[in-house]
């Protein structure tokens, strides 16, 4: 029987668990908030499910729970962040302030982050930029789990990217947020836990043969979505993250990984653009015309609409947490 809790309780449990593990207030607040936003939007694979992993990375010494990220004003349009092995939500929050300032003042800016432990969903990272009126991209790599198209050896991370577009009239931004692997790793872990099959094409077993058994894929390799096209996106994400930040590519993250079940040392990058500087004040109305045409066509919907519907529902109803996970989280928070 899943436990029913409010979003405030979710945030408090996560914050207490981090504090009890010795995580400083700033990292604990940002990461607890990130987890709660994932739960609020119905993204179970990146909500409380990730809490034990984050704490494992603190206990193993992979994460530095007291680290304060270094934010460098690298050039007029560039921000370079060294997370110093903090939990990623803090390095993102710290760097985003300068990224937004630069985008506002000159129309566009780019930010890289290295040495930051990320295994979260990405839409919460770009949503605050779109809420300030900016179009925004973000890219994150992970330790390598995914073989390139045609290969059988893990080279790329599951390498998600998210894109956000602001909307007029107080509407929430349109955001898509997707892994470049055929299936997010968290989804495979949940499928293995719950005894479900993985979708065909998700990966290969340790014998290099295609399988739909999620446990076999977790021991073998995942595959990119869409064959060589997804493989090219995964390659781009490696270059935009490990390459541009001067941090780790996915295989370098994996080589340094302590096997603690938490996030590896990964990299992220952002591009933010003020669309009104390019398209003029008609941008929001023009965008709505496009969205309207899409929505008028059969069952087509905008990416993110499912999440936003969940958000509207959980704001009143709260969330449910699978019972074993709830017991673990309560124990970590000192409330067993
Ligand atoms: P999904 O395939 O579930 O969804 C990808 C995107 O497609 C979402 O924006 C979703 O919107 C949208 N979408 C889904 N169905 C439709 C539809 N019928 N019409 C229009 N849009 C649709 O995501 P993934 O499994 O690829 O990734 C899940 C999460 O895992 C992401 O948040 C990602 O950032 C995270 N991740 C994090 C990693 C890390 O290391 N930090 C690594 C890999 C993944 P909606 O949400 O509204 O359904």
């Amino acid at each position: 029987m899943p436990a029913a809790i409010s979003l405030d309780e979710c945030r408090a449990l996560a914050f207490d668990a981090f504090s009890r593990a010795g995580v400083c207030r700033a990292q604990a607040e940002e990461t607890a908030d990130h987890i709660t936003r994932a739960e609020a939007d119905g993204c179970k694979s990146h909500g409380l499910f990730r809490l034990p992993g984050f704490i494992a990375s603190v206990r193993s010494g992979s994460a530095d729970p007291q680290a304060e990220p270094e934010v460098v004003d690298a050039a007029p349009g560039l921000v370079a962040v060294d997370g110093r092995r903090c939990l990623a939500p803090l390095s993102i929050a710290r760097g985003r302030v300068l990224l937004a300032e630069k985008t506002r003042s000159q129309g566009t800016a780019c930010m890289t982050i290295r040495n930051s432990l990320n295994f979260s969903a990405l839409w919460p990272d770009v949503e605050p930029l779109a809420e300030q009126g900016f179009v925004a991209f973000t890219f994150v790599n992970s330790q390598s789990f995914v073989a390139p198209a045609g290969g059988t050896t893990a080279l790329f991370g599951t390498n998600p990217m998210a894109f956000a577009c602001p909307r007029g009239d107080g509407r929430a931004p349109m955001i898509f947020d997707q892994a470049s692997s055929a299936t997010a790793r968290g989804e495979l872990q949940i499928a293995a836990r719950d005894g479900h099959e993985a979708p065909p094409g998700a990966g290969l077993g340790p014998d290099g043969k295609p399988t739909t058994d999620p446990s076999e894929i977790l021991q073998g390799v995942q595959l990119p979505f869409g064959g060589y096209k997804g493989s090219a996106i995964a390659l781009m994400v490696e270059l935009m993250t490990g390459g541009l930040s001067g941090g780790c590519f996915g295989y370098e993250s994996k080589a340094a990984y302590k096997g603690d079940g938490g996030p590896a040392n990964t990299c992220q990058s952002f591009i933010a653009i003020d669309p009104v500087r390019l398209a003029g004040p008609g941008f929001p109305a023009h965008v709505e015309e496009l969205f309207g045409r899409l929505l008028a066509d059969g069952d087509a919907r905008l990416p993110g609409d499912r999440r936003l519907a969940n958000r509207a529902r959980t704001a009143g109803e709260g969330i449910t947490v699978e019972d074993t996970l709830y017991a673990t989280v309560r124990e970590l928070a000192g409330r067993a």
Side-chain angles (χ1 to χ4, degrees), residues 87 112 131 175 219:
L87 304 182
T112 57
E131 284 169 351
I175 305 178
Q219 290 164 44

Side-chain angles (χ1 to χ4, degrees), residues 7-336:
L7 292 170
D8 284 347
E9 177 63 358
C10 172
R11 190 175 282 102
L13 277 168
F15 179 81
D16 288 353
F18 286 126
S19 301
R20 239 175 130 241
V23 176
C24 68
R25 185 171 192 93
Q27 287 192 45
E29 277 178 355
E30 292 295 342
T31 314
D33 186 61
H34 214 285
I35 283 173
T36 306
R37 292 179 69 184
E39 288 285 349
D41 283 18
C43 184
K44 290 288 172 197
S45 56
H46 292 82
L48 287 169
F49 180 67
R50 294 293 181 185
L51 180 71
F54 273 123
I55 289 184
S57 71
V58 170
R59 289 186 178 151
S60 73
S62 291
D64 178 349
Q66 298 296 321
E68 178 57 39
E70 179 189 27
V71 179
V72 176
D73 188 341
L78 299 177
V79 182
V81 179
D82 186 336
R84 296 170 163 160
R85 293 189 296 111
C86 74
L87 304 182
L90 182 64
S91 47
I92 298 160
R94 289 284 194 260
R96 196 167 46 212
V97 176
L98 184 56
L99 176 69
E101 203 178 294
K102 285 177 178 291
T103 308
R104 195 169 299 110
S105 70
Q106 62 190 21
T108 187
C110 174
M111 172 167 81
T112 57
I113 304 177
R114 67 180 171 205
N115 291 320
S116 163
L117 281 81
N118 189 324
F119 68 170
S120 305
L122 300 193
W123 85 84
D125 303 345
V126 282
E127 192 167 50
L129 293 167
E131 284 169 351
Q132 294 175 65
F134 307 139
V135 167
F137 296 86
T138 189
F139 310 89
V140 167
N141 68 350
S142 75
Q143 58 171 313
S144 52
F145 294 122
V146 178
T152 57
T153 308
L155 177 68
F156 305 138
T158 46
N159 292 8
M161 63 174 286
F163 170 81
C165 180
R167 299 183 69 179
D169 299 334
R171 292 191 181 91
M174 188 290 296
I175 305 178
F176 76 73
D177 173 15
Q178 61 193 37
S180 50
S181 52
T183 310
R185 197 162 185 86
E187 298 294 347
L188 289 176
Q189 289 164 335
I190 287 181
R193 181 193 73 187
D194 297 345
H196 298 145
E197 290 217 340
L204 313 175
D207 57 2
K209 299 213 171 91
T211 175
T212 54
D213 179 338
S215 305
E216 290 277 298
I217 298 171
L218 289 169
Q219 290 164 44
V221 289
Q222 293 178 243
L223 291 174
F225 76 87
Y228 63 87
K229 294 187 181 180
S231 194
I233 304 264
L235 176 62
M236 174 191 72
V237 172
E238 290 291 343
L239 296 169
M240 290 294 296
T241 55
L244 277 188
S245 73
C248 299
F249 287 127
Y251 63 88
E252 293 168 318
S253 289
K254 189 179 213 162
Y257 188 57
K258 294 191 176 183
D260 52 29
N265 184 331
T266 55
C267 309
Q268 186 161 3
S269 62
F270 288 78
I271 302 167
I273 303 164
D274 181 347
V276 173
R277 297 270 199 116
L278 289 168
F283 177 80
H286 196 195
V287 159
E288 286 312 315
E289 273 178 41
L290 173 67
F291 291 164
R293 282 175 184 246
L294 183 151
L295 292 169
D297 187 2
D299 290 335
R301 70 162 171 94
L302 287 176
D305 278 358
R306 180 199 59 88
R307 266 192 318 96
L308 294 171
N310 285 335
R311 189 181 297 182
R313 182 178 47 76
T314 61
E317 278 178 18
I319 56 167
T320 56
V321 186
E322 185 265 328
D323 54 358
T324 313
L325 176 62
Y326 187 54
T328 305
V329 168
R330 282 179 63 84
E331 193 178 330
L332 289 169
R335 310 223 203 130

